[in-house]
């Protein structure tokens, strides 16, 4: 079985970060979201992976390389415009050939991985297999109606009146039969080739579509709140390890990971926290549930439940929480308002002063 990982898309809910980079490369505990997906595929025994990329394909390729670091062989497939998940399957036709494949949305985080899903796919072959989970608001998702035997009867994309509470997680297994389905469908009202429409086409043409339902944790990292939530979850499993330098005037409480080349001085760090290589934390309070990326600077500040991307600087800020701070961004106190105003005002002018 091959895998197709989708890492294109515009990431509109994560702007402005996705104006300058792929959302799949935003870090969770200082590791790109995409890496968690690739690691779970390798753990499931998959070796050949195609990554569908968009305008930031070069950045993704530079970080993931040929896949050897993950135990994979990676091919890159360019999607020039985000025209839907089914369109991504269309452009991957040559890579996929006539093999069964797993489709995985690259901005999803499944802490349990996909090993069990892949195993069940092999034990009970079907034209398609969908991973589903019950959600509180199914109208925000693709929704599946499933019979008592686990057969999928109908799919709907973000329905106003959902027929069930079972949402599509973003992990699918397909036989080669899906290629005829994605060729047969037409764009939806939003101008995209919907994967739900392709699977519905398979159902209507008598093909067997099975459901796998899980209640285990699953998280979409498509918004800032989601990303901070996933970071919180992953940090809960981090073990403390100090490889960098921590001076005698600093205190580490709980599980704190300080990477080689990082420096902590005169600070209190309450875990779980990860501090990346080259970062400097001085005279500050950090944590809990905070990830500080490589080459960051935190000075004379307090920060918790936040993510700092590579090269960010926070200086002289009394308190930051539940924040996502981008690469190379600088956060400093605003200048104080002047105590007096010096004016040169022309004839008949009107000036309104707030203080």
């Amino acid at each position: 079985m091959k895998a197709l990982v989708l890492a294109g898309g515009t990431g509109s809910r994560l702007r402005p970060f996705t104006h300058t980079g792929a959302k799949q490369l935003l870090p969770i505990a200082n590791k790109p979201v995409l890496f968690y997906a690739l690691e779970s595929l390798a753990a499931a025994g998959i070796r050949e992976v195609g990554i569908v990329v968009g305008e930031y394909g070069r950045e993704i390729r530079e970080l993931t390389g040929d896949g050897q670091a993950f135990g994979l062989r990676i091919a890159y497939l360019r999607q020039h415009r985000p025209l839907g998940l089914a369109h991504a399957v269309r452009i991957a036709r040559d890579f996929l050939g006539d093999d069964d494949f797993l489709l995985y949305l690259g901005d999803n985080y499944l802490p349990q991985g996909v090993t069990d899903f892949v195993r069940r796919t092999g034990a009970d072959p079907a034209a398609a297999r969908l991973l589903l989970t019950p959600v509180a608001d199914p109208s925000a998702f693709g929704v599946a109606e499933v019979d008592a035997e686990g057969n999928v009867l109908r799919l709907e994309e973000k329905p106003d009146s959902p027929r069930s509470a079972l949402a599509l997680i973003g992990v699918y297994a397909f036989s080669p039969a899906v290629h005829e389905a994605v060729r047969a469908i037409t764009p939806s009202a939003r101008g995209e080739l919907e994967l739900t429409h392709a699977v519905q086409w398979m159902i209507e043409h008598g093909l067997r579509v099975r459901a796998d339902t899980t209640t285990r944790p699953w998280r979409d990292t498509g918004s800032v709140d989601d990303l901070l939530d996933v970071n919180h979850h992953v940090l809960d499993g981090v073990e403390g390890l100090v490889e960098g330098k921590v001076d005698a005037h600093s205190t580490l409480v709980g599980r704190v990971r300080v990477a080689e080349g990082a420096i902590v001085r005169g600070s209190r760090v309450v875990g779980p926290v990860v501090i990346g290589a080259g970062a400097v934390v001085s005279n500050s309070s950090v944590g809990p549930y905070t990830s500080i990326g490589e080459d960051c600077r935190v000075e004379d500040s307090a920060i918790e439940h936040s993510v700092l991307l590579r090269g960010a600087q926070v200086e002289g800020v009394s308190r930051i929480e539940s924040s996502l701070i981008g690469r190379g961004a600088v956060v400093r106190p605003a200048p104080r308002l002047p105590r007096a105003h010096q004016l040169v005002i022309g004839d008949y002018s009107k000036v309104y002063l707030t203080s």
Side-chain angles (χ1 to χ4, degrees):
M1 175 179 277
K2 294 178 179 177
L4 188 66
V5 177
L6 306 191
T10 59
S12 57
R13 290 184 297 153
L14 275 168
R15 291 173 180 160
F17 303 98
T18 49
H19 284 312
T20 54
K23 62 180 178 178
Q24 295 81 8
L25 296 183
L26 288 172
I28 301 296
N30 284 357
K31 182 165 67 176
V33 176
L34 179 62
F35 284 20
Y36 293 95
L38 297 177
E39 289 169 354
S40 71
L41 294 173
I46 293 173
R47 293 294 173 260
E48 290 190 64
V49 176
I51 302 180
V52 177
V53 298
E55 62 176 313
Y56 300 113
R58 177 180 296 180
E59 184 181 8
I60 292 173
R61 185 192 295 262
E62 288 175 354
L63 282 177
T64 57
D66 62 5
Q68 185 175 353
F70 304 94
L72 302 170
R73 295 185 296 275
I74 294 179
Y76 295 89
L77 313 168
R78 178 66 191 270
Q79 188 180 33
H80 292 283
R81 291 175 57 204
L83 297 177
L85 305 187
H87 179 261
V89 176
R90 275 193 186 184
I91 68 171
R93 181 69 177 91
D94 290 342
F95 166 77
L96 296 169
D98 292 325
D99 293 312
D100 294 344
F101 68 96
L102 191 78
L103 188 146
Y104 193 122
L105 302 189
D107 57 349
N108 278 1
Y109 173 71
L110 280 76
Q112 73 272 23
V114 294
T115 299
D116 290 344
F117 182 73
V118 170
R119 178 180 52 79
R120 288 190 293 269
T121 297
D124 180 23
R129 181 176 292 270
L130 317 178
L131 190 57
L132 310 172
T133 192
V135 295
D137 181 17
S139 64
F141 299 88
V143 175
E145 183 180 357
V146 180
D147 68 15
E149 286 74 41
N151 298 302
V152 180
L153 304 178
R154 184 179 291 103
L155 291 182
E156 298 177 286
E157 186 65 34
K158 299 181 180 179
D160 293 330
S161 301
R163 295 172 180 267
S164 86
L166 294 176
L168 294 161
I169 284 180
V171 177
Y172 312 77
F174 289 112
S175 76
V178 73
H179 297 300
E180 183 179 2
V182 298
R183 288 195 304 268
I185 62 172
T186 56
S188 65
R190 60 179 184 171
E192 296 187 1
L193 293 173
E194 309 286 357
L195 195 59
T196 50
H197 293 178
V199 177
Q200 184 63 37
W201 185 95
M202 298 170 79
I203 295 169
E204 293 170 357
H205 285 76
L207 297 175
R208 187 167 181 253
V209 177
R210 298 284 290 165
D212 264 27
T213 303
T214 181
T215 57
R216 300 179 70 180
W218 155 78
R219 288 168 171 81
D220 173 13
T221 60
S223 72
V224 171
D225 287 343
D226 292 333
L227 193 140
L228 291 174
D229 181 55
V230 175
N231 190 69
H232 183 118
H233 175 82
V234 173
L235 286 177
D236 266 332
V238 165
E239 296 295 331
L241 178 64
V242 176
E243 297 178 309
K245 296 180 179 179
V246 179
D247 73 4
H249 303 289
S250 295
T251 302
L252 306 186
V253 180
R255 293 171 286 112
V256 177
R257 183 176 289 267
V258 181
E260 184 176 1
I263 298 172
V264 178
R265 55 182 176 236
S267 297
R268 178 178 172 86
V269 183
V270 179
V273 165
V274 293
I275 300 174
V280 176
V281 176
S282 61
N283 303 317
S284 295
S285 171
V286 175
Y289 296 106
T290 298
S291 298
I292 297 176
E294 295 181 359
D295 301 321
C296 288
R297 296 289 184 273
V298 179
E299 300 178 6
D300 303 313
S301 299
I303 184 165
E304 72 172 78
H305 191 243
S306 296
V307 175
L308 276 62
L309 276 63
R310 187 180 68 246
Q313 299 179 45
V314 177
E315 302 173 1
V317 180
S318 59
R319 187 167 187 84
I320 289 177
E321 61 182 38
S322 302
S323 299
L324 178 61
I325 299 175
R327 291 178 297 182
V330 177
V331 181
R332 295 191 179 108
R336 295 182 179 180
L337 292 174
R339 294 185 177 180
H341 302 279
Q342 182 178 5
L343 307 174
V344 177
I345 300 174
D347 297 345
Y348 309 113
S349 297
K350 293 182 179 180
V351 176
Y352 301 90
L353 299 177
T354 58
S355 61

